[in-house]
């Protein structure tokens, strides 16, 4: 796993997902800092709800899964990997 970026609330890593019936796929793991707090947990759940409500769309990253990092209890969102970088990086080029 390779750290690709960091923001105010998230650390972003590039990883590889290896499902048994398909080939290796690059994914992004967004580790939400401080998601042990009630306020941050609610923000994460709201973001997950938006992913669910919007569904699959060509202009949005696909949410592949959600997990909790055992040592810290922080939420990790697993999304498709965007090789061009974050939206602000793309817009500021």
């Amino acid at each position: 796993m390779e750290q690709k970026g960091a923001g105010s609330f998230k650390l972003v890593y590039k990883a590889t997902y290896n499902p048994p019936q398909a080939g290796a796929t690059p994914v992004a793991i967004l580790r939400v800092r401080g998601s042990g707090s009630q306020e941050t947990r609610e923000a994460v759940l709201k973001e997950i709800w938006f992913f669910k409500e919007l569904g699959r769309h060509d202009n949005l990253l696909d949410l592949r899964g959600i997990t909790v990092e055992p040592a810290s209890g922080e939420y990790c969102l697993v999304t498709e990997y965007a090789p061009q970088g974050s939206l602000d990086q793309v817009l500021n080029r």
Side-chain angles (χ1 to χ4, degrees):
M1 201 162 56
E2 171 188 358
Q3 185 170 339
K4 298 300 276 186
S8 302
F9 299 103
K10 295 177 187 164
L11 296 172
V12 181
Y13 299 91
K14 180 181 179 184
T16 302
Y17 176 56
N18 289 304
Q21 294 82 12
T25 305
V27 293
I29 298 176
L30 307 148
R31 183 174 173 178
V32 183
R33 297 180 191 185
S35 51
S37 76
Q38 181 67 26
E39 182 179 335
T40 305
R41 237 187 342 264
E42 288 174 7
V44 171
L45 294 174
K46 189 175 187 177
E47 186 169 347
I48 293 166
W49 181 84
F50 279 121
F51 270 111
K52 181 181 174 286
E53 286 297 307
L54 294 171
R56 181 82 178 123
H57 190 282
D58 289 341
N59 296 328
L60 299 174
L61 292 176
D62 186 29
L63 178 64
R64 304 281 171 94
I66 305 153
T67 190
V68 175
E69 202 281 319
S72 67
E74 293 179 327
Y75 283 100
C76 296
L77 306 178
V78 182
T79 67
E80 72 182 288
Y81 181 69
Q84 301 86 358
S86 67
L87 180 59
D88 63 328
Q89 288 172 328
V90 172
L91 293 175
N92 290 320
R93 285 187 186 150

